[in-house]
Amino acid sequence: MRNARFLAGLALAASLLGLLFASYSTYDYAQHLDRQIHTIHCSFIPGASGDTTAENPCKVALFSSYSAIFRASYWGGVPISLFAVGAFSFFLGFSVYLLMSGLRAPKRAYLFFGITGVTPLMASLIMFFISLTRLHAFCKVCVGIYFSSALLATAAVMALVHYRRIAHVHLPPDPHGPTQVDSAAGNPLLLVGWLAALGLAAILPSLVYVAALPDYRPYLSSCGKLEVPQEQHNALLKLPTAHPVKAVTFFEDPLCPTCRAFHERLIDEGVLENLDVTLVMFPLDSECNWMLDRSLHPGACILSKAVLCGGNQARAILEWSYSEQDSLRELGKGNPAAIEKMIRERFGSDVMQCAQDKKTATRLNQHLHYASNNHIPVSTPQMFLGDKRICDEDTDLGLKYTLSQLSPEVLR
Amino acid sequence: MSAYHPHQPPGSPGNPNRRAIDAVDAPSAGGSPPFLPALVGGVAGVIVLLATTLTVRATVSGAADRLKHPQATAAAAESKVAVADQSEEKYCTPGFKTVLQRVLNACGLVGGESRRGCQPADVKTFASINDEDFNALFTPLKDRGAVIMFDDGSDALDPGAKKLLEERWMDRKGARYFFIVARASRTGSADFNRTLSHKRANSVHFFLQEQFKDPDLEKQVGMLWLGNEFAQLTKEYCDWPASRSSAKCNADALNRSAFVSWVDCRL
């Protein structure tokens, strides 16, 4: 009896905790549906703190490709935390039922809970490995959900153990219950009913969320266009991709974390290889960028020049810059010569020699003039689909939806 | 299947279901009706689910409202983002910009005029300022510009001149316009010197054309040739970067030259 009560209490606590964390995660996601920047909760204490810094791991998780599904159908997609909200709500009710029932609960209730109670942990494990291998960051709110799922799974395992212990024990028939079935085991239809209830609970928040979404289509083409699409000096860079079907122009900075996230998002969404990419290097480093009075990303100029000198390796150099970005950014602040050494060691002295050539500096300057001729905002990354500027908010949460609306061929 | 023995205490000796019974308490005799836990659990679950779902709906609706009626703070934040543009240095005074604009208009850089450059009469007309004030406009360009020197009566560029021209041209940064202001010393007639300074300006122009093959060159280079009639350089310009640093600096040598510089002004 105490076992049954304890596991039900544990399940109730886990469900409450999971519901809290999932609700905060969903709230943060839904806030961004206004296409503006908001603080993001990132604490083990639910609702404790908001954070807008780029390094916030919860922001990394929220803006990643893995935070939502059906992104091509809905702007921002349907956040997966919504399913957690629904599932934890169901388990909260079910654990109250188990807690109050005690031994009156049919055996199948424990069997059902034992099987379904581990599903949030399975989903959490998948997300955990994505965080570990793809995002390289652990969002505290997500960890809160993982922990809640683990607690719930512990209760579920205890329920299965409990079920095994009582499986062959016959309790007296319930005088109030049906006489045609074994009331202690419970009507088998209950399993179907509970499963249906769990399914309904899991998808109901998502259905309501989708129904409440506004129409984003009018906003997709509202951010201007390239005024001067042609670059007279042939200075811009073509980035090789597997099967390019749509011309795009990217303005990128090798040391900009948002550019790295954007690049990874394009790869994760399976979009990059379908794009005919023209790359405009736009380093936010005053060493070469005369639009800035101070360097936001010191070291970005020499890396941009290395990309320009890469030839067939241009994409490899850009992606290497992204993968090594954290250490390169640190070196850029204190020891720029070390960046040159790294480039030389990784890609050879020819690339470095070319990067230090005046002609390359001129070519990079032509990239910057291309940006100024087109009066683009001084920020990275920027994406132009043809000559149409994709709004910043449509390059992260709304990327797949925007592409599905403006250029569906790149999603095939 | 084992049988349940309600009259034997659970776990008592001789009870065949001892292990199983240890895990199961006898149901309480009294207590709530059996449907109550299901009802309470179901209601609790439904209430929580509805509450969270309605909160989700309210949050999405709130975002939709903000989308339709953006807040002033967002608009302000948007307006703070700088826009990429050419450089605008401190020396771009209204007076300097006036002359620059007139050079662009009068000397063929804008407006699709067929001619290239301005001669002394044009410059006098559009500058509307005296020699000293005209030269003073260019004083802040000391670090940006250079004096390309020529031999007496010659418009040929020597290696030093070519090297310095290359350096200056490649050091464009954010500038949009490149000025060539060619002169001649007072030796010889005004007509001859006007023609000679024109040739010197062209020499610089052609060299840049040949060397860099920049398709935008025609829209970037402003040429003025002043002969010896307007805005002669004085000895103060001796310490400016020049293609013949070892040359003896005097007024004649200084004015057998073309002053070149990128100009960092927005118009």
Side-chain angles (χ1 to χ4, degrees), chain B residues 168-236:
Chain B
R168 283 295 182 262
W169 178 261
M170 289 174 89
D171 189 33
R172 180 185 177 183
K173 295 178 188 149
R176 190 170 174 184
Y177 300 110
F178 190 82
F179 267 37
I180 303 169
V181 186
R183 294 176 172 83
S185 66
R186 294 193 192 277
T187 312
S189 69
D191 275 352
F192 174 82
N193 285 331
R194 193 179 307 139
T195 305
L196 179 61
S197 64
H198 189 185
K199 285 179 178 175
R200 285 171 176 166
N202 277 335
S203 283
V204 172
H205 187 233
F206 293 153
F207 172 78
L208 294 175
Q209 240 173 355
E210 282 301 303
Q211 191 67 17
F212 297 102
K213 296 182 173 56
D214 191 325
D216 288 335
L217 194 102
E218 296 299 321
K219 288 183 266 177
Q220 293 168 335
V221 177
M223 285 201 301
L224 296 83
W225 55 94
L226 308 180
N228 63 353
E229 299 159 82
F230 186 67
Q232 286 273 289
L233 295 176
T234 55
K235 275 196 160 185
E236 293 90 81

Side-chain angles (χ1 to χ4, degrees), chain B residues 40-250:
Chain B
V40 172
V43 168
V46 166
I47 287 173
V48 169
L49 182 64
L50 285 179
T52 50
T53 302
L54 290 173
T55 306
V56 165
R57 194 185 184 289
T59 310
V60 176
S61 299
D65 284 345
R66 291 194 303 276
L67 185 65
K68 285 176 190 157
H69 313 289
Q71 295 156 331
T73 52
E78 185 67 28
S79 67
K80 280 181 188 172
V81 178
V83 170
D85 207 341
Q86 267 81 24
S87 300
E88 173 83 352
E89 293 296 333
K90 288 177 185 170
Y91 61 75
C92 300
T93 59
F96 186 90
K97 283 188 174 187
T98 302
V99 172
L100 179 63
Q101 187 67 65
R102 287 173 183 171
V103 169
L104 300 183
N105 293 340
C107 308
L109 268 83
V110 293
E113 297 201 20
S114 55
R115 66 182 186 145
R116 291 283 310 151
C118 286
Q119 55 189 327
D122 301 319
V123 180
K124 282 178 188 173
T125 304
F126 69 63
S128 308
I129 48 179
N130 62 30
D131 300 24
E132 204 174 318
D133 289 346
F134 180 81
N135 282 340
L137 288 174
F138 295 90
T139 304
L141 296 173
K142 182 179 176 181
D143 296 333
R144 202 79 166 94
V147 180
I148 305 299
M149 300 178 108
F150 295 88
D151 289 334
D152 188 13
S154 167
D155 62 329
L157 294 167
D158 62 22
K162 290 176 180 177
K163 185 172 179 289
L164 187 58
L165 262 178
E166 268 188 42
E167 279 174 17
R168 283 295 182 262
W169 178 261
M170 289 174 89
D171 189 33
R172 180 185 177 183
K173 295 178 188 149
R176 190 170 174 184
Y177 300 110
F178 190 82
F179 267 37
I180 303 169
V181 186
R183 294 176 172 83
S185 66
R186 294 193 192 277
T187 312
S189 69
D191 275 352
F192 174 82
N193 285 331
R194 193 179 307 139
T195 305
L196 179 61
S197 64
H198 189 185
K199 285 179 178 175
R200 285 171 176 166
N202 277 335
S203 283
V204 172
H205 187 233
F206 293 153
F207 172 78
L208 294 175
Q209 240 173 355
E210 282 301 303
Q211 191 67 17
F212 297 102
K213 296 182 173 56
D214 191 325
D216 288 335
L217 194 102
E218 296 299 321
K219 288 183 266 177
Q220 293 168 335
V221 177
M223 285 201 301
L224 296 83
W225 55 94
L226 308 180
N228 63 353
E229 299 159 82
F230 186 67
Q232 286 273 289
L233 295 176
T234 55
K235 275 196 160 185
E236 293 90 81
Y237 291 88
C238 281
D239 56 351
W240 278 51
S243 60
R244 297 179 186 176
S245 53
S246 60
K248 186 182 171 189
C249 185
N250 56 38

Side-chain angles (χ1 to χ4, degrees), chain A residues 1-2 19 23 26-27 30-36 38 82 85-86 89-90 92-94 96-97 100-101 103-104 162 165-172 174 176-177 200-202 204-205 208-209 212-216 219 232-233 282 290-291 357-359 362 365-366 368-369 371-379 389, chain B residues 1-4 17 19-34 36-42 44-46 48-50 52-57 59-64 66-71 73-74 78 81-87 167 170-176 213-216 219-220:
Chain A
M1 178 67 177
R2 267 173 303 174
L19 183 62
S23 296
T26 303
Y27 173 81
Q31 283 284 90
H32 286 80
L33 293 175
D34 64 0
R35 297 161 65 87
Q36 292 169 28
H38 295 276
L82 275 169
V85 165
S89 298
F90 172 85
L92 190 144
F94 201 81
V96 167
Y97 163 58
M100 287 188 66
S101 296
L103 291 173
R104 285 219 188 98
H162 182 71
R165 292 171 80 178
I166 64 171
H168 303 299
V169 175
H170 285 262
L171 293 173
D174 185 345
H176 303 278
L200 180 66
L204 184 68
V208 171
Y209 177 93
L213 284 173
D215 182 6
Y216 285 92
Y219 301 94
Q232 297 292 328
H233 309 87
F282 195 51
W290 29 265
M291 297 173 214
D357 193 294
K358 280 185 179 177
K359 285 179 181 166
T362 301
N365 201 43
Q366 285 160 345
L368 296 171
H369 275 277
S372 71
N373 290 341
N374 283 290
H375 300 293
I376 65 156
V378 182
S379 68
R389 180 167 181 251
Chain B
M1 277 285 186
S2 357
Y4 179 67
N17 298 307
R19 280 191 66 240
I21 300 304
D22 278 350
V24 184
D25 286 358
S28 50
S32 53
L36 190 63
L39 184 69
V40 172
V46 166
V48 169
L49 182 64
L50 285 179
T52 50
T53 302
L54 290 173
T55 306
V56 165
R57 194 185 184 289
T59 310
V60 176
S61 299
R66 291 194 303 276
L67 185 65
K68 285 176 190 157
H69 313 289
Q71 295 156 331
T73 52
E78 185 67 28
V81 178
V83 170
D85 207 341
Q86 267 81 24
S87 300
E167 279 174 17
M170 289 174 89
D171 189 33
R172 180 185 177 183
K173 295 178 188 149
R176 190 170 174 184
K213 296 182 173 56
D214 191 325
D216 288 335
K219 288 183 266 177
Q220 293 168 335

